[in-house]
Amino acid sequence: MKLPHKTNQFWSLAIKLLIVSLSLVVILKAVQEVKPAHWQLIFDFSKFTEVIFLGLVLALLNWSLESLKWKTLLSPVKSIPFYTAVSESLRAHAVSILTPNKIGEFGAKASFYSKSLRPQILKLTLTGQLHQLLATCCFGILGLSVIYAQLSLRLQLSIGLTSGLLLLSGLTLCLMNSKNKWLRRLQLYVASLAQLSDPKNAKVLVLSMLRYLCFSHQFYLLLWLFQPELTYTEVMPVIFSIYFISSFVPVFLFLDLSLKAGLALVLLKGVLASEVIIAVSLLMWIFNFGIPAFLGNLLLLKPRRGLGELKQML
């Protein structure tokens, strides 16, 4: 039974308010868990202005690349202007902050389009995430290969075992000769991602690489501002490794701060003071997760034409 237009508008607004409220609570909770001493370290820092400027500029570049990637992915299905890609990326991020490993991004982006386009939108969202994961793996494996010998035996065994299982699973999927139509479709989909002769795939991969280099160097530069004697070749492999390991841990985005800070404390122990590591991890979360999620919430509340685009999110 088709609901009246006014009823659709009411439920659309109610769902938006629920998502925005939950998202803001998550952001507030993550901020409240930070110790006052770490806030004090940031606000009392002599280069506070440089930290804010650098963080905001690189966060803007990061999300611009993400939006351009979404615009490129969507181009075979629908042509959208860049500002629409930015809006959809931020709104989807505001929803995904409530879910582990950005799963909510799938439903959010699909809800922005008509039912006939949603299967393609889901596939394109997955394609974008897999390209970003590929970029993370390329740089992460490079970083781990540099620092692996310096790790404790326990960490070496854990990383080696996990990497071996992932590699074995990937090879099994690619080589398995199955008549199951869903498995066959998955194999064909994975094979299509590897076709870099396709201009769209190549462009999306390049944008994913650039975005990865943007936020990883943002991490390094913020650390360098706090401790200028840091050497690039010493710290960047560790940062690559942190992003690589964290990408395979299922975690809600509001816990991403604790995860990356914990990994950094383990891998950068002896190189940086723990207070600096936690402060910079906090800044990275604010610039790349907190502020974009807040902006996405504002965009979610912005009046839009049409019937309840967010009804399919929950």
Side-chain angles (χ1 to χ4, degrees):
M1 182 178 68
K2 189 175 181 179
L3 295 175
H5 178 65
K6 291 292 184 181
T7 304
N8 275 321
Q9 285 186 321
F10 169 78
W11 284 112
S12 175
L13 178 60
I15 292 172
K16 284 182 179 181
L17 289 173
L18 175 62
I19 291 173
V20 169
S21 299
L22 289 174
S23 183
L24 290 176
V25 167
V26 163
I27 295 171
L28 183 61
K29 183 174 177 58
V31 171
Q32 285 179 334
E33 289 181 352
V34 179
K35 294 180 179 178
H38 297 131
W39 288 114
Q40 197 68 31
L41 176 63
I42 294 171
F43 288 119
D44 289 347
F45 185 48
S46 60
K47 296 181 180 178
F48 177 76
T49 304
E50 290 93 325
V51 165
I52 299 302
F53 176 77
L54 179 67
L56 288 175
V57 168
L58 290 178
L60 179 61
L61 178 59
N62 175 22
W63 279 96
S64 296
L65 290 169
E66 174 64 18
S67 301
L68 185 57
K69 186 174 73 172
W70 177 238
K71 183 179 185 299
T72 303
L73 282 165
L74 199 59
S75 58
V77 176
K78 185 176 181 180
S79 178
I80 60 173
F82 179 71
Y83 65 83
T84 300
V86 172
S87 174
E88 291 181 357
S89 297
L90 291 176
R91 284 184 287 152
H93 174 69
V95 176
S96 69
I97 203 171
L98 302 172
T99 60
N101 286 43
K102 299 188 71 174
I103 293 175
E105 183 179 355
F106 290 89
K109 285 185 174 176
S111 70
F112 300 151
Y113 294 90
S114 61
K115 288 184 179 180
S116 61
L117 291 178
R118 284 174 187 170
Q120 297 178 72
I121 299 300
L122 290 172
K123 181 180 177 181
L124 292 173
T125 304
L126 177 60
T127 300
Q129 290 198 3
L130 288 178
H131 276 94
Q132 196 63 56
L133 179 62
L134 178 59
T136 301
C137 289
C138 289
F139 288 103
I141 291 171
L142 176 63
L144 275 177
S145 66
V146 174
I147 70 167
Y148 189 75
Q150 305 167 24
L151 301 176
S152 66
L153 179 60
R154 184 177 179 181
L155 275 176
Q156 287 180 342
L157 290 174
S158 300
I159 292 171
L161 180 61
T162 304
S163 300
L165 288 173
L166 289 172
L167 181 60
L168 182 61
S169 301
L171 289 174
T172 302
L173 176 64
C174 294
L175 299 177
M176 186 181 293
N177 185 14
S178 175
K179 294 181 180 179
N180 185 291
K181 66 177 184 178
W182 291 107
L183 181 58
R184 185 60 183 161
R185 284 182 182 178
L186 180 60
Q187 290 175 327
L188 292 173
Y189 170 68
V190 173
S192 71
L193 296 179
Q195 295 175 359
L196 294 181
S197 56
D198 181 345
K200 186 195 76 172
N201 276 352
K203 185 175 180 180
V204 170
L205 182 58
V206 169
L207 289 170
S208 298
M209 294 281 189
L210 290 174
R211 182 171 181 245
Y212 182 92
L213 289 172
C214 175
F215 60 70
S216 60
H217 281 77
Q218 181 187 28
F219 198 172
Y220 168 75
L221 290 171
L222 289 175
L223 289 172
W224 178 79
L225 282 174
F226 279 90
Q227 196 163 318
E229 64 270 20
L230 287 178
T231 58
Y232 182 84
T233 54
E234 181 182 25
V235 176
M236 281 310 297
V238 178
I239 292 175
F240 290 164
S241 303
I242 289 170
Y243 282 112
F244 177 68
I245 296 171
S246 63
S247 65
F248 292 101
V249 179
V251 67
F252 289 88
L253 283 186
F254 70 92
L255 295 174
D256 187 79
L257 167 60
S258 300
L259 174 62
K260 288 191 171 69
L263 287 170
L265 286 170
V266 172
L267 297 177
L268 288 170
K269 182 173 62 176
V271 179
L272 281 160
S274 59
E275 293 81 6
V276 172
I277 293 173
I278 295 173
V280 171
S281 299
L282 170 62
L283 287 169
M284 287 291 294
W285 190 91
I286 291 173
F287 289 135
N288 296 300
F289 292 101
I291 294 176
F294 179 75
L295 294 175
N297 282 318
L298 294 180
L299 290 169
L300 280 173
L301 291 175
K302 182 181 177 182
R304 298 178 62 84
R305 294 178 181 178
L307 300 178
E309 62 181 25
L310 298 176
K311 289 190 295 179
Q312 302 297 322
M313 283 185 184
L314 300 179

